[in-house]
Amino acid sequence: MTEAQTVAVNKVVDAFTVSDDRLSKIVQQFVIEMEKGLDHQGATIAMIPSFVAGRCTGDEKGSFMALDLGGTNLRVCHVTLLGAGEHTIRQQKYIVSEELKTGPMRHLCDFIADCVDSFLTENGTSESHEVIQLGYTFSFPVLQTSINRGVLKQWTKGFNCSGAVGKDVTILLQDSFRRKNINVNIAAIVNDTVGTLMAYAYKHPETTMGVIMGTGFNASYYEDMSKVKKWTGNKDEEMVINMECGAFDCERRVLPMNVYDNKMDRESINVHQQLYEKMVAGMYLGEITRNAMLDLIDQQFLFNGESSNDLNKNWSFETAYMSTIEVDESDDLSDTGHILESVLSIPSTTLVDRQIVKRLCNAVGVRAARLASCHIAGVLTHTGKVGHDCIVAIDGSLFEFYPNFGNNMGDALAAVLGEQARSKVKFDLARDGSGLGAAIIAMIAAKK
Ligand code: GLC
């Protein structure tokens, strides 16, 4: 590597480096914003009461359907809760096309209803004359007014259907079921973070937070409702709050956004929104890294100054490539070379090129994990749980597959709260929890 190259690469890596001091400032600001969201409507972090009150015992029983919309696929599930923390689940995935994600909401709802219909037919559940109760995991900011009513505040994660913002999303889907004579009642509308928390709590009742680190990024936790000023219902209970924390710091007070983040943000369909999510979630990390690569290419420090048509395309550098590159420990970084040359058609790459790309991926990935720990430190601080045992149930491809993500989060947590506090916090993988969680919540709702 030439000296000029080293200087240029270090400069880019520095732009992604977040000091411990900065992490502490982010946590302080996060706590302030959380409290604003609990005090009044319309705050940056929405802090939405989920109407899921009380904890599960694991003894819940019965059969329910669940839907999961909001990541890469639509999942339709049939869940049987057996009690004693046990359950069985049958499920089917359906691909949601880009056209459906950005077309009229009615088309999306009709598609979902058709998937449910074919699932019921294939699984022989459609002959039943009883109404089937369903938990609808709809993983977007929905301002709930009851367990099965809520209005979509805005779209996130690349969805942008017309005729949905400001509408009750349960009514829209229930309408499609009715038109198609499908005997299903939406008993609950559920955010994926809330579903993940409930699903994990079914086996581990002491679970305190549910977190998604996948395509998107968000979290939920148990709140003492007497502390929620904007809440006009029963103040004596505990309720799960869907934070919608991906929206944190849209005012750009503390998040260390750099030129590569700004470029990605401008090209996204929700410009200036979800800035915290955009620095952490799987949907965006590849694009940020691509922007950093293009900068070094334009300065003639990478790939001999030459990009490719593929690499020039927005969103062409997937976050999954970063995981592969980060674990590539071969002498010639051959997996990295394969992605760059065979997948992205860069004519030829040297070992130095591959090393530079690996450093960029690492810088973006480490920053994401460090920033991702701030919201956990914030919740622990706000709820007075720093230093207490606590389980954080986490689902999502980034947490499951991105190399070292959990460890880097842990180190950042230790930097902010201290080693002793970190040792009390357990990050557990709660794979595919939201289907089970939605079924549990549908059961609680149906009982009421
Ligand atoms: C986005 C959505 C949020 C969801 C998260 C994870 O942030 O707004 O509702 O929980 O993605 O899927």
Side-chain angles (χ1 to χ4, degrees), residues 259-295:
V259 284
Y260 313 109
D261 296 301
N262 288 330
K263 184 158 175 269
M264 176 276 298
D265 180 39
R266 275 192 206 105
E267 280 150 9
S268 66
I269 47 181
N270 53 349
V271 185
H272 296 331
Q273 289 170 12
Q274 301 294 105
L275 297 185
Y276 188 25
E277 173 165 72
K278 284 175 176 161
M279 297 174 97
V280 170
M283 179 163 172
Y284 307 99
L285 301 188
E287 181 64 4
I288 297 170
T289 309
R290 192 185 71 93
N291 288 338
M293 282 161 61
L294 290 179
D295 184 19

Side-chain angles (χ1 to χ4, degrees), residues 139-141 156-157 191-193 212 216-218 244 274 277:
S139 304
F140 300 96
T156 52
K157 297 179 289 195
N191 186 262
D192 51 358
T193 60
I212 301 287
F217 162 59
N218 186 20
E244 287 297 333
Q274 301 294 105
E277 173 165 72

Side-chain angles (χ1 to χ4, degrees), residues 82 156 301:
L82 302 166
T156 52
F301 290 128

Side-chain angles (χ1 to χ4, degrees), residues 145-160:
T145 47
S146 74
I147 189 89
N148 67 349
R149 286 282 174 270
V151 162
L152 178 64
K153 184 171 165 249
Q154 68 194 43
W155 286 110
T156 52
K157 297 179 289 195
F159 277 70
N160 203 9

Side-chain angles (χ1 to χ4, degrees), residues 247-410:
F248 170 60
D249 205 33
C250 281
E251 304 81 5
R252 300 183 185 221
R253 290 201 181 99
V254 283
L255 286 178
M257 289 186 70
N258 61 35
V259 284
Y260 313 109
D261 296 301
N262 288 330
K263 184 158 175 269
M264 176 276 298
D265 180 39
R266 275 192 206 105
E267 280 150 9
S268 66
I269 47 181
N270 53 349
V271 185
H272 296 331
Q273 289 170 12
Q274 301 294 105
L275 297 185
Y276 188 25
E277 173 165 72
K278 284 175 176 161
M279 297 174 97
V280 170
M283 179 163 172
Y284 307 99
L285 301 188
E287 181 64 4
I288 297 170
T289 309
R290 192 185 71 93
N291 288 338
M293 282 161 61
L294 290 179
D295 184 19
L296 287 175
I297 294 171
D298 291 345
Q299 297 182 60
Q300 310 269 335
F301 290 128
L302 190 62
F303 311 145
N304 208 12
E306 268 187 69
S307 185
S308 68
N309 286 341
D310 287 332
L311 190 64
N312 285 343
K313 270 189 216 128
N314 287 334
W315 314 99
S316 61
F317 192 73
E318 295 175 15
T319 304
Y321 302 159
M322 296 171 68
S323 299
T324 309
I325 292 171
E326 283 238 51
V327 287
D328 186 359
E329 295 295 345
S330 59
D331 289 344
D332 57 349
L333 298 180
S334 51
D335 290 341
T336 307
H338 173 79
I339 289 175
L340 296 171
E341 293 172 14
S342 308
V343 182
L344 293 162
S345 318
I346 307 283
S348 83
T349 60
T350 63
L351 180 58
V352 169
D353 286 330
R354 298 172 190 186
Q355 285 165 338
I356 293 175
V357 171
K358 191 169 158 89
R359 262 194 88 193
L360 295 181
C361 293
N362 182 259
V364 175
V366 169
R367 185 186 70 162
R370 286 171 67 77
L371 291 177
S373 73
C374 292
H375 80 294
I376 296 175
V379 170
L380 297 180
T381 305
H382 163 81
T383 52
K385 289 217 175 78
V386 175
H388 295 248
D389 284 317
C390 129
I391 297 182
V392 182
I394 310 180
D395 193 10
S397 46
L398 207 58
F399 182 73
E400 186 170 2
F401 301 117
Y402 201 95
N404 267 322
F405 207 84
N407 289 340
N408 290 332
M409 277 173 61

